[in-house]
């Protein structure tokens, strides 16, 4: 299994941000995709010189294709230019 982090910015190109209600709806999609577990953290990021609130999604999985599909959905739903997925160089150890 590998550990991935996804950076999900909340600024919308047409103005405004992903609302709490919109995020709650998308979180249901994350729940359905990664039932085994995941972590979401709130962060502040910077994209093209503009600060934005960001959700940092961390998933330990062998299903990279599912994660990519989830991030593509986020891009489409919230009209994002991109979503960063990074593979962390760690090996998880569940005790």
């Amino acid at each position: 299994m590998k550990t991935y982090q996804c950076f999900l910015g909340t600024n919308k190109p047409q103005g405004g941000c992903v609302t709490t209600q919109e995020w709650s709806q998308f979180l249901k999609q994350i729940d359905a995709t990664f039932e085994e577990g995941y972590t979401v953290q709130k962060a502040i990021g910077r994209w093209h010189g503009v600060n934005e609130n960001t959700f940092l999604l961390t998933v330990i999985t062998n299903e990279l294709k599912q994660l990519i599909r989830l991030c593509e959905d986020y891009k489409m739903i919230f009209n994002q230019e991109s979503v960063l997925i990074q593979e962390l160089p760690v090996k998880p150890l569940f005790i």
Side-chain angles (χ1 to χ4, degrees), residues 46-87:
R46 190 164 177 87
W47 181 248
H48 293 303
V50 177
N51 290 347
E52 70 177 313
N53 291 324
T54 302
F55 291 106
L56 180 58
L57 170 65
T58 304
V59 179
I60 300 170
T61 185
N62 285 322
E63 302 297 330
L64 179 57
K65 288 181 182 180
Q66 283 184 327
L67 184 60
I68 290 171
R69 273 194 301 273
L70 182 76
C71 290
E72 287 173 342
D73 286 349
Y74 188 87
K75 275 180 59 179
M76 183 187 66
I77 292 166
F78 299 113
N79 198 22
Q80 297 292 298
E81 182 179 338
S82 65
V83 170
L84 172 64
I85 301 172
Q86 70 177 3
E87 181 181 330

Side-chain angles (χ1 to χ4, degrees), residues 8-33:
L8 307 168
T10 62
N11 287 354
K12 295 181 181 178
Q14 67 276 16
C17 295
V18 175
T19 66
T20 301
Q21 183 177 359
E22 290 171 326
W23 174 252
S24 294
Q25 280 299 115
F26 189 75
L27 198 55
K28 290 177 185 177
Q29 189 171 343
I30 297 172
D31 288 341
T33 305

